[in-house]
PDB file of all heavy atoms in Angstrom:
ATOM      1  N   PHE A 138     -22.578   1.094 -11.404  1.00 97.00           N
ATOM      2  CA  PHE A 138     -21.137   0.868 -11.711  1.00 97.00           C
ATOM      3  C   PHE A 138     -20.846  -0.576 -12.226  1.00 97.00           C
ATOM      4  O   PHE A 138     -19.692  -0.774 -12.751  1.00 97.00           O
ATOM      5  CB  PHE A 138     -20.248   1.243 -10.585  1.00 97.00           C
ATOM      6  CG  PHE A 138     -20.191   2.826 -10.322  1.00 97.00           C
ATOM      7  CD1 PHE A 138     -20.872   3.303  -9.388  1.00 97.00           C
ATOM      8  CD2 PHE A 138     -19.566   3.549 -11.212  1.00 97.00           C
ATOM      9  CE1 PHE A 138     -20.920   4.669  -9.105  1.00 97.00           C
ATOM     10  CE2 PHE A 138     -19.509   4.957 -11.044  1.00 97.00           C
ATOM     11  CZ  PHE A 138     -20.251   5.554 -10.035  1.00 97.00           C
ATOM     12  N   LEU A 139     -21.837  -1.494 -12.119  1.00 96.00           N
ATOM     13  CA  LEU A 139     -21.621  -2.956 -12.524  1.00 96.00           C
ATOM     14  C   LEU A 139     -22.615  -3.384 -13.415  1.00 96.00           C
ATOM     15  O   LEU A 139     -23.203  -4.453 -13.167  1.00 96.00           O
ATOM     16  CB  LEU A 139     -21.269  -3.810 -11.351  1.00 96.00           C
ATOM     17  CG  LEU A 139     -20.077  -3.484 -10.534  1.00 96.00           C
ATOM     18  CD1 LEU A 139     -19.886  -4.527  -9.341  1.00 96.00           C
ATOM     19  CD2 LEU A 139     -18.763  -3.459 -11.286  1.00 96.00           C
ATOM     20  N   PRO A 140     -23.119  -2.619 -14.454  1.00 96.00           N
ATOM     21  CA  PRO A 140     -24.126  -3.213 -15.234  1.00 96.00           C
ATOM     22  C   PRO A 140     -23.688  -4.519 -15.942  1.00 96.00           C
ATOM     23  O   PRO A 140     -22.670  -4.549 -16.367  1.00 96.00           O
ATOM     24  CB  PRO A 140     -24.496  -2.068 -16.168  1.00 96.00           C
ATOM     25  CG  PRO A 140     -23.238  -1.300 -16.302  1.00 96.00           C
ATOM     26  CD  PRO A 140     -22.529  -1.433 -14.840  1.00 96.00           C
ATOM     27  N   HIS A 141     -24.500  -5.493 -15.933  1.00 96.00           N
ATOM     28  CA  HIS A 141     -24.147  -6.787 -16.503  1.00 96.00           C
ATOM     29  C   HIS A 141     -22.863  -7.329 -15.922  1.00 96.00           C
ATOM     30  O   HIS A 141     -22.078  -8.110 -16.672  1.00 96.00           O
ATOM     31  CB  HIS A 141     -24.103  -6.620 -17.976  1.00 96.00           C
ATOM     32  CG  HIS A 141     -25.428  -6.186 -18.640  1.00 96.00           C
ATOM     33  ND1 HIS A 141     -26.491  -6.668 -18.549  1.00 96.00           N
ATOM     34  CD2 HIS A 141     -25.626  -4.903 -19.237  1.00 96.00           C
ATOM     35  CE1 HIS A 141     -27.477  -6.100 -19.146  1.00 96.00           C
ATOM     36  NE2 HIS A 141     -26.906  -4.811 -19.617  1.00 96.00           N
ATOM     37  N   ASP A 142     -22.432  -6.967 -14.731  1.00 95.00           N
ATOM     38  CA  ASP A 142     -21.187  -7.361 -14.001  1.00 95.00           C
ATOM     39  C   ASP A 142     -19.989  -6.915 -14.769  1.00 95.00           C
ATOM     40  O   ASP A 142     -18.949  -7.661 -14.845  1.00 95.00           O
ATOM     41  CB  ASP A 142     -21.228  -8.813 -13.864  1.00 95.00           C
ATOM     42  CG  ASP A 142     -20.275  -9.348 -12.614  1.00 95.00           C
ATOM     43  OD1 ASP A 142     -20.063  -8.501 -11.776  1.00 95.00           O
ATOM     44  OD2 ASP A 142     -19.831 -10.485 -12.617  1.00 95.00           O
ATOM     45  N   ILE A 143     -20.061  -5.747 -15.358  1.00 97.00           N
ATOM     46  CA  ILE A 143     -18.949  -5.158 -16.132  1.00 97.00           C
ATOM     47  C   ILE A 143     -18.494  -3.816 -15.492  1.00 97.00           C
ATOM     48  O   ILE A 143     -19.350  -2.923 -15.338  1.00 97.00           O
ATOM     49  CB  ILE A 143     -19.261  -4.892 -17.685  1.00 97.00           C
ATOM     50  CG1 ILE A 143     -19.497  -6.180 -18.330  1.00 97.00           C
ATOM     51  CG2 ILE A 143     -18.036  -4.192 -18.419  1.00 97.00           C
ATOM     52  CD1 ILE A 143     -20.111  -6.075 -19.721  1.00 97.00           C
ATOM     53  N   LEU A 144     -17.304  -3.681 -14.963  1.00 97.00           N
ATOM     54  CA  LEU A 144     -16.716  -2.482 -14.426  1.00 97.00           C
ATOM     55  C   LEU A 144     -16.040  -1.754 -15.555  1.00 97.00           C
ATOM     56  O   LEU A 144     -15.212  -2.255 -16.252  1.00 97.00           O
ATOM     57  CB  LEU A 144     -15.778  -2.631 -13.410  1.00 97.00           C
ATOM     58  CG  LEU A 144     -15.066  -1.585 -12.782  1.00 97.00           C
ATOM     59  CD1 LEU A 144     -16.011  -0.644 -11.952  1.00 97.00           C
ATOM     60  CD2 LEU A 144     -13.950  -1.978 -11.833  1.00 97.00           C
ATOM     61  N   THR A 145     -16.339  -0.484 -15.703  1.00 98.00           N
ATOM     62  CA  THR A 145     -15.715   0.261 -16.743  1.00 98.00           C
ATOM     63  C   THR A 145     -14.770   1.235 -15.997  1.00 98.00           C
ATOM     64  O   THR A 145     -15.092   2.117 -15.291  1.00 98.00           O
ATOM     65  CB  THR A 145     -16.732   1.273 -17.573  1.00 98.00           C
ATOM     66  OG1 THR A 145     -17.494   0.325 -18.275  1.00 98.00           O
ATOM     67  CG2 THR A 145     -15.949   2.014 -18.646  1.00 98.00           C
ATOM     68  N   ALA A 146     -13.460   1.080 -16.187  1.00 98.00           N
ATOM     69  CA  ALA A 146     -12.444   1.846 -15.575  1.00 98.00           C
ATOM     70  C   ALA A 146     -11.725   2.728 -16.642  1.00 98.00           C
ATOM     71  O   ALA A 146     -11.554   2.323 -17.887  1.00 98.00           O
ATOM     72  CB  ALA A 146     -11.287   1.006 -14.918  1.00 98.00           C
ATOM     73  N   ARG A 147     -11.316   4.036 -16.264  1.00 98.00           N
ATOM     74  CA  ARG A 147     -10.808   4.985 -17.195  1.00 98.00           C
ATOM     75  C   ARG A 147      -9.657   5.656 -16.685  1.00 98.00           C
ATOM     76  O   ARG A 147      -9.573   5.974 -15.528  1.00 98.00           O
ATOM     77  CB  ARG A 147     -11.869   5.946 -17.719  1.00 98.00           C
ATOM     78  CG  ARG A 147     -11.479   6.890 -18.704  1.00 98.00           C
ATOM     79  CD  ARG A 147     -12.601   7.919 -19.075  1.00 98.00           C
ATOM     80  NE  ARG A 147     -12.751   8.831 -17.969  1.00 98.00           N
ATOM     81  CZ  ARG A 147     -13.752   9.582 -17.785  1.00 98.00           C
ATOM     82  NH1 ARG A 147     -14.719   9.477 -18.579  1.00 98.00           N
ATOM     83  NH2 ARG A 147     -13.808  10.382 -16.739  1.00 98.00           N
TER      84      ARG A 147
END
Side-chain angles (χ1 to χ4, degrees):
F138 290 105
L139 300 179
H141 308 292
D142 204 20
I143 299 172
L144 175 68
T145 302
R147 183 183 70 199

